[in-house]
Amino acid sequence: MIPIPRDEQKKEAFRLFEDGRYQESLEICSIFLEGGKDSAIEVLAATNLYYTGKLEDAEVFFRDLVRKMPDSSYVHSYLAKVLEAKKDEGAIAEFAAAVHLDPTNQDALRSYAGYLLSQKDYRGALPVLRSLVQLGKKPGDVRDLMRALIEIGEAQEALATHSVLGGDLGKTPEYVDALIRTHHFQTAAETARAMYRDTKDRTILRKYLDTLSRYDLKGSLDAYAFYIREDPDADILFDYVLLLKSIENYTPALAVVRTLLEHARAPVYRLVECDLLAAMGLEQQAFAAYENLIREELASKNDLETLARIISSYRRYLKDHISPGGAAQRFLNIVSKDVNVVSLLETAHLYEDLGDSVEARSWYYRAYRADFLGGGLEYAKFLSAHGEERECEKVMLYILSNVKKSTDIGRVAAVILNERGKMTRLKRLMTDLIKKLQERKTTLNSDGLELLSNAFFIAATSAQEERDYAACKYYCLCGIDVTPAYSRTIRLENYLQLVQACKENAIADRPIMNVPQTKKRAAAVAPAQMITERLGLSEQEKKIIEFLRSHRTANEMDLRKMLGTRRVVGIMNQLIQKAALQGMNLISKKGVGEDGEVYEYTGT
């Protein structure tokens, strides 16, 4: 058999790829590469791996290609697609690299925009979509641009975009939404109704009915009644129930929700039934409905967010209808015996409602132990509100050091930077937050970058108050660098005002760009005191630290004599673990000698 020439193999591999026969193309690529390296075929093989769903292999191939071809927009773009398919947050950095290398790569731009829209990062998507529309004016890109504009609050510009670029689009859901956001309710309703007649799309029908209710309540009630007789769609039935509930037509709302529950028994539908029974004063039925729903949801725990809504509604109803003692006992019997973070937090909220802060703190702490992130953030907020700043900082530092995902880091940052809270006054926490966000800045979305920008602004303001003008300018420049386009909470002018003040007040205003930042002299705090405060040491642990600081090494027998206890190993393990959780290398084990475990002090 005559072997196929390499050039023919190569052409065949590309032809099969163009035909969508990725597996066959991949097989030829594999054979071809056995005979030697070829960059084009390596890229094709990696792409085939992506399209055949072999994501692990595709990632390995593309990462190797990124090292070989760092300036290839195509390679970065497809590595991003692989990471997106794997739900790896590193996708955003690779997409950004791809469009930076080639701003005309429409496939990369469209994939990047699609990724950002899927993450609801509309602010980040907007510049990408503007570029795409300028390059191609494709209807899908115009619709996506309109959607992004609507979601960032620029509905008027979305209408203008439709007017200028949407000639071939006709009437779209984005056009209807833009009309609604600009309060053109009648035009929006009429447009949606016409679209529904053409498409029979229930999503459009819901928009029509909802918009009609905003200017013609009676007409909308008649329309809802008509359409649910024609087709008892669950979503439309639910919208109808919420409309009736909002105008306090509780009896017909209860009848409709029970019709709805014959079709679907989603927990959120059942919760509305509970709320209606409560609003109608049917106390016995309301309690039974709430408690049956809670028992079932606690048994399944399918959706903790919905469970929290249900228990919260029940808690408020209890508080308004039963004596404090009776409310607490009933809540404990129904909710609190199930040890999950939602039940623990809602129990803490109940005791806060009842004015028992001691019991509330206990339940918040249990929630923290059950879920260091969800429970810990609520515990820290409680501590901060009650003036326990040192404990609050300790909890938040632990949370911050243990969160892994960028979205979770953003969640922690939002709590720390909340303008109604006091955590921004905790300097070590702010320092660690900025460091953590900076480490992840290539994978942060617009919300995350805005949080980092706010953190820099707070740091800059503090530096200015301390008359450290060089640090203030440095933080301002860092903040300007990361502030996203279309920022909601901070503007570039805020930084420029600080920089201007620094230049006016500094005795000698020196350039700071490309100058290494010198560390400020630390406050005169003894190292032992600093370690004690940071780790929350017990008396025994303080003695161990003091002993090891002076002797540098000690064995188990030395520490037994010094402490007067045989429990040295357990105490030392706990102390080493405490230090590790705070990122401190304080004590290390050096092996076992005749007098037991040997420990060395490795701190300063």
Side-chain angles (χ1 to χ4, degrees), residues 193-205:
R193 187 179 186 187
M195 288 172 63
Y196 175 68
R197 285 173 178 163
D198 292 339
T199 64
K200 300 301 179 188
D201 183 339
R202 286 175 176 168
T203 304
I204 299 299
L205 175 58

Side-chain angles (χ1 to χ4, degrees), residues 39-299:
S39 296
I41 290 294
E42 286 180 73
V43 171
L44 181 61
T47 311
N48 280 318
L49 286 166
Y50 166 68
Y51 282 114
T52 53
K54 299 178 176 69
L55 299 179
E56 297 293 340
D57 292 338
E59 182 182 352
V60 171
F61 257 77
F62 277 119
R63 287 201 183 279
D64 187 49
L65 287 166
V66 162
R67 286 189 288 273
K68 294 178 183 175
M69 304 156 62
D71 296 330
S72 170
S73 174
Y74 180 97
V75 169
H76 281 285
S77 174
Y78 268 86
L79 174 56
K81 291 179 183 184
V82 170
L83 295 175
E84 179 185 8
K86 293 179 68 180
K87 302 190 185 310
D88 186 320
E89 59 190 19
I92 192 171
E94 294 300 329
F95 276 128
V99 300
H100 175 74
L101 288 165
D102 183 1
T104 65
N105 181 343
Q106 290 193 45
D107 178 67
L109 286 165
R110 195 164 286 111
S111 296
Y112 186 25
Y115 174 79
L116 293 170
L117 291 172
S118 72
Q119 302 296 308
K120 300 192 182 330
D121 186 0
Y122 300 105
R123 292 182 291 160
L126 202 50
V128 187
L129 290 165
R130 288 191 196 280
S131 180
L132 263 176
V133 168
Q134 286 175 356
L135 288 170
K137 295 182 176 61
K138 289 190 175 181
D141 297 335
V142 175
R143 287 184 61 178
D144 285 341
L145 175 57
M146 289 179 65
R147 173 57 55 201
L149 287 165
I150 290 164
E151 296 299 334
I152 70 162
E154 297 292 341
Q156 195 64 54
E157 189 179 344
L159 283 179
T161 299
H162 185 274
S163 176
V164 174
L165 300 171
D168 298 332
L169 282 177
K171 307 306 180 188
T172 66
E174 291 77 21
Y175 177 63
V176 173
D177 286 344
L179 289 169
I180 293 169
R181 297 288 182 92
T182 53
H183 294 180
H184 293 91
F185 298 128
Q186 190 162 351
T187 306
E190 290 168 358
T191 304
R193 187 179 186 187
M195 288 172 63
Y196 175 68
R197 285 173 178 163
D198 292 339
T199 64
K200 300 301 179 188
D201 183 339
R202 286 175 176 168
T203 304
I204 299 299
L205 175 58
R206 290 181 70 192
K207 285 185 190 294
Y208 160 63
L209 293 168
D210 175 60
T211 310
L212 183 62
S213 71
R214 301 184 189 215
Y215 70 93
D216 182 359
L217 181 59
K218 183 180 182 306
S220 73
L221 291 171
D222 292 342
Y224 270 115
F226 170 77
Y227 282 109
I228 64 171
R229 281 197 304 271
E230 184 182 86
D231 181 7
D233 176 77
D235 289 330
I236 293 173
L237 278 165
F238 190 51
D239 291 344
Y240 186 27
V241 170
L242 295 179
L243 177 60
L244 290 167
K245 182 172 178 278
S246 71
I247 60 174
E248 300 184 0
N249 280 7
Y250 298 134
T251 301
L254 186 60
V256 175
V257 82
R258 284 177 171 165
T259 300
L260 169 60
L261 291 171
E262 291 172 7
H263 293 84
R265 292 188 61 79
V268 69
Y269 301 159
R270 295 177 64 191
L271 176 58
V272 171
E273 179 189 28
C274 298
D275 292 343
L276 286 168
L277 291 167
M280 293 169 70
L282 302 172
E283 192 170 299
Q284 206 168 3
Q285 292 182 54
F287 273 122
Y290 276 125
E291 290 168 2
N292 286 335
L293 177 56
I294 288 169
R295 287 189 187 97
E296 290 181 30
E297 288 305 299
L298 285 173

Side-chain angles (χ1 to χ4, degrees), residues 87-94 96 115 121 372-373 399-413 431-453 456 482:
K87 302 190 185 310
D88 186 320
E89 59 190 19
I92 192 171
E94 294 300 329
Y115 174 79
D121 186 0
F372 84 91
L373 180 58
I399 295 169
L400 194 58
S401 67
N402 283 280
V403 286
K404 305 300 180 189
K405 296 180 181 177
S406 293
T407 49
D408 289 338
I409 295 169
R411 187 176 162 191
V412 176
T431 300
D432 282 16
L433 173 63
I434 289 173
K435 181 182 176 185
K436 191 88 171 184
L437 287 169
Q438 278 192 295
E439 288 170 354
R440 298 295 188 95
K441 66 183 178 184
T442 58
T443 62
L444 295 176
N445 61 14
S446 296
D447 290 339
L449 289 172
E450 187 161 343
L451 288 164
L452 176 54
S453 177
F456 276 128
V482 300

Side-chain angles (χ1 to χ4, degrees), residues 381-424:
K381 285 192 280 187
F382 174 85
L383 293 169
S384 180
H386 288 76
E388 296 189 55
E389 292 193 345
R390 184 175 294 178
E391 185 66 17
C392 169
E393 184 174 45
K394 192 194 317 183
V395 170
M396 290 302 294
L397 286 169
Y398 177 78
I399 295 169
L400 194 58
S401 67
N402 283 280
V403 286
K404 305 300 180 189
K405 296 180 181 177
S406 293
T407 49
D408 289 338
I409 295 169
R411 187 176 162 191
V412 176
V415 171
I416 295 170
L417 300 172
N418 188 314
E419 61 185 15
R420 294 188 298 274
K422 307 170 188 173
M423 294 188 199
T424 55

